[in-house]
């Protein structure tokens, strides 16, 4: 007998419009009774990250990834709400490379 699936992760490529993987992932997680983590990884240009680290006067830009992540997570929550009212869905937006972060 196999263990039940308790947690699933789906990576979404876009938050500007509905990612085609999202409805399927929501349906599959609901059918399995699994918690679903919806993840989107966005690029933080190295030049911006490096500039913020080297110049104190650019410290205000250092908050950019957190603001961007919050905006993207809000978009993902809106998309999830269009297709599901499940409480067991977490949305995550992460700065960096999708290959590294996922």
């Amino acid at each position: 007998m196999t263990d039940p699936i308790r947690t699933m992760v789906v990576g979404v490529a876009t938050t500007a419009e509905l990612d085609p993987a999202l409805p399927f992932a929501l349906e599959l997680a609901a059918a399995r009774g699994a918690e679903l983590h919806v993840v989107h990884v966005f690029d933080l240009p190295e030049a911006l990250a490096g500039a913020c680290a080297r110049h104190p006067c650019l410290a205000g830009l250092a908050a950019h990834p957190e603001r961007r992540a919050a905006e993207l997570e809000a978009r993902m929550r809106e998309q999830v709400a269009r297709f599901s009212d499940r409480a067991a869905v977490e949305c995550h937006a992460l700065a960096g490379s999708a290959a590294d972060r996922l």
Side-chain angles (χ1 to χ4, degrees):
M1 183 173 189
T2 61
D3 289 331
I5 297 172
R6 298 173 208 255
T7 304
M8 296 174 60
V9 177
V10 62
V12 293
T14 182
T15 62
E17 56 189 49
L18 180 65
D19 190 288
L22 185 57
F24 175 74
L26 288 164
E27 183 178 330
L28 183 59
R32 296 286 186 167
E35 178 180 4
L36 179 65
H37 291 264
V38 181
V39 183
H40 175 74
V41 180
F42 62 97
D43 288 327
L44 176 61
E46 287 184 36
L48 176 61
C52 290
R54 288 189 305 273
H55 300 287
C57 63
L58 298 176
L61 294 176
H64 172 74
E66 291 79 19
R67 284 196 316 260
R68 182 72 176 139
E71 292 168 5
L72 294 170
E73 287 171 3
R75 285 188 202 166
M76 287 186 286
R77 283 191 297 275
E78 288 172 6
Q79 291 180 6
V80 165
R82 288 175 45 198
F83 291 94
S84 175
D85 59 356
R86 296 184 67 230
V89 178
E90 296 287 331
C91 297
H92 311 275
L94 309 170
S97 161
D100 293 337
R101 299 303 302 259
L102 290 175

